[in-house]
Amino acid sequence: MGRGKAKIGVSSVTANCVTKDMIVVNGQFPGPTIYAVEGDTIIVNVTNNAGSGVTIHWHGVRQVLSCWQDGVGYITQCPLKQGDSFVYNFTLQGQTGTVFWHAHTTWLRATVHGAIVVFPRDFTYPHTKPDDQFIVTLGEWWNGDPEAIEIAGLEGGGPFQLADALLVNGKPGYRYNCTDVEGITRFTISAGKTYLLRVINAGLNTEEFLGIANHKQTVVEVDGEYVTPTDFDTTYIGPGQTMNVLITADQAPGSYYMEAKGYSSVILTDPAELPAAAVQVILNDVPKIPASALFQYDSAPVLDPSTTFYPGLPAENDSSFAMQFENSLFTLRPQDVPLNATRNMLFTVGTASQFCEPSQNCTFRAAGEVNNITFVLPKIDLLQAYYFGIEGVYTTDFPDFPESPFFYTSPDSPPTAQQISKLGTRVSVLEYGTVLDLVLQGTMVFAFESHPFHLHGYHFYVLGRGQGDWDPINSPSTLNYYNPPHRFTVDVPSRGWVAIRFAATNPGVWFLHCHLEKHTSWGMQMAFIVKNGVGPDQTLPPPPPRLTACAA
Ligand code: C2O
Ligand code: CU
């Protein structure tokens, strides 16, 4: 069992040559790491002195029969108000690996996040045992206040301000003028040793490519689940994903830079339909300067120009690289994949121009949608409303399929009716034990981009992905039902689809959303209610004694 205190409050933090007051946990940025062993119970007493409402979500923790502890604002609990405290208490049942925690209200995740490392019970790994381990948290920095930037973006109805810097463990690195060698995250390594990097993309809005000069990355785990060890020069990681990578210090002793570079998957369907300025804004999708960190051999002088090396990375818009990377991952436990689906759904995910017809030229009044519904957060959390049968909070008519099928990725589609999404707090109800095959189909009115979709309370199998439209006749034969990777966040490719499968055996209310916060802000999300089965091990227990109060 592990116990800790998390005080959420304002501290002075410096990065990117700016010192500002920002909301962090225990005065640290990134926040403290939780180290645990598989099966441990974690108890964290969270106190909120942030001035605004906060919850803490344990991202990737499956929360078996503990949905009340999932920490999603207005989904599983109401946010802690200023001065409130709440004790989270959950067990890391049947899972190991790298996951993380983060605030799950407004844009606070930008500054309120930290790693969770779950060691296997006997400290043995199904891959080469590393000599040492490092946490590599990828993040973003805004010189201003992220919560204010979210509000400004929502009020403006258009894109949100880009981050001012990308970060590795809270530091932007050498490419940003203001940093010297002390302003960079440094990992000291010894020749011949093997290291496990526990990489977390805790950023809000930036999918990234990751490279380390001259060193191969062997991916051994994604999203806290082992995969067949596979070598890459570059890896890809979206917000809400984690990845364990082995590197061996097998190069001439020297200084080797790691770089984390923003990836933009935006494809405009028909730029001619948009004003040039708008095209510029859409394409200017990620910060252009990579974050960096230094892998320094302890036997070599620091940054001697003759022994300092830089990685090469794919082009910013190399979407085939991202797709190829995710297609190269395979679970080590094929025996666990459920054999057949008992229910099928297809969700379009994308953006719509919510408040007006495209012909009115107000294309930036954008809304996120899933099956053409823009999710509206309720005033009372869904879980409480469901458990206590409180009426009027949500409806259970979330559709299994888009209202009318269309060519999702054709420039002329979707038809006008689909371009205006409907507001609603709708959920989809799953019987206990349903094996759901769900296709997430990218679609958009004027431009496509990829979406790292995250499901709470579960890992799902990623059966496959493809470009263009999912074809119910021909696409299933392209899927991998044998050893698909087991993930909790998957990249829905730009102008393409991904198919996932999971068995709904964890009762509760579980959020499904794009983990790009700019899209969550626009409502690109929905929730599943998974009903109880029979017997206590299939039934959601009653809530903890003290629920956070919802506004009257
Ligand atoms: Cu990382 Cu809904 O969460
Ligand atoms: Cu998205």
Side-chain angles (χ1 to χ4, degrees), residues 57 59 100 102 104 109 454 456 511 513 515:
H57 167 57
H59 179 112
F100 66 117
H102 64 73
H104 212 305
R109 185 174 103 225
H454 172 55
H456 287 236
F511 211 27
H513 63 97
H515 217 270

Side-chain angles (χ1 to χ4, degrees), residues 207 349-351 449-453 513-520 524:
E207 297 166 272
V349 303
T351 47
E449 66 186 301
S450 58
H451 304 283
F453 255 74
H513 63 97
C514 181
H515 217 270
L516 298 178
E517 207 56 30
K518 58 185 178 180
H519 293 165
T520 314
M524 195 183 290

Side-chain angles (χ1 to χ4, degrees), residues 61-62 92 102 156-157 175 215 232 333 348 419 442 450 492:
V61 173
R62 281 198 284 258
L92 296 162
H102 64 73
R175 294 250 206 175
H215 290 74
F232 297 93
R333 294 187 57 81
T348 59
Q419 299 182 16
S450 58
V492 181

Side-chain angles (χ1 to χ4, degrees), residues 62-271:
R62 281 198 284 258
Q63 301 292 5
V64 178
L65 299 181
S66 53
C67 188
W68 297 105
Q69 307 296 327
D70 199 35
V72 188
Y74 299 108
I75 305 298
T76 64
Q77 73 180 123
C78 284
L80 282 72
K81 295 185 189 63
Q82 162 66 26
D84 276 2
S85 60
F86 183 80
V87 179
Y88 289 94
N89 180 334
F90 54 89
T91 300
L92 296 162
Q93 194 178 314
Q95 63 179 124
T96 63
T98 306
V99 292
F100 66 117
W101 56 265
H102 64 73
H104 212 305
T105 44
T106 68
W107 274 26
L108 277 177
R109 185 174 103 225
T111 61
V112 177
H113 62 249
I116 305 177
V117 173
V118 188
F119 294 108
R121 245 225 164 268
D122 46 8
F123 292 88
T124 57
Y125 300 89
H127 53 71
T128 307
K129 192 174 163 61
D131 296 297
D132 205 351
Q133 318 205 356
F134 299 118
I135 289 167
V136 179
T137 302
L138 307 176
E140 290 150 331
W141 174 270
W142 277 267
N143 293 335
D145 167 19
E147 284 189 287
I149 286 161
E150 181 192 20
I151 291 166
L154 283 172
E155 283 173 354
F160 296 92
Q161 188 192 314
L162 287 183
D164 294 296
L166 299 177
L167 306 174
V168 177
N169 291 354
K171 298 193 169 124
Y174 82 100
R175 294 250 206 175
Y176 290 85
N177 313 339
C178 66
T179 49
D180 55 27
V181 70
E182 298 311 318
I184 190 167
T185 295
R186 198 191 298 182
F187 303 105
T188 304
I189 57 178
S190 306
K193 295 213 161 140
T194 297
Y195 298 88
L196 184 67
L197 311 185
R198 295 178 175 273
V199 186
I200 298 164
N201 189 336
L204 298 190
N205 294 332
T206 317
E207 297 166 272
E208 292 180 19
F209 293 136
L210 192 70
I212 305 165
N214 299 16
H215 290 74
K216 214 171 43 196
Q217 301 175 57
T218 306
V219 176
V220 293
E221 179 193 301
V222 291
D223 294 356
E225 291 277 313
Y226 295 119
V227 292
T228 308
T230 308
D231 292 345
F232 297 93
D233 292 326
T234 302
T235 51
Y236 156 83
I237 184 165
Q241 294 186 317
T242 67
M243 172 173 77
N244 282 6
V245 169
L246 289 171
I247 63 156
T248 297
D250 56 3
Q251 298 297 303
S255 309
Y256 294 85
Y257 278 112
M258 176 177 90
E259 286 192 356
K261 173 179 177 173
Y263 157 56
S264 167
S265 60
V266 172
I267 302 170
L268 287 176
T269 53
D270 190 355

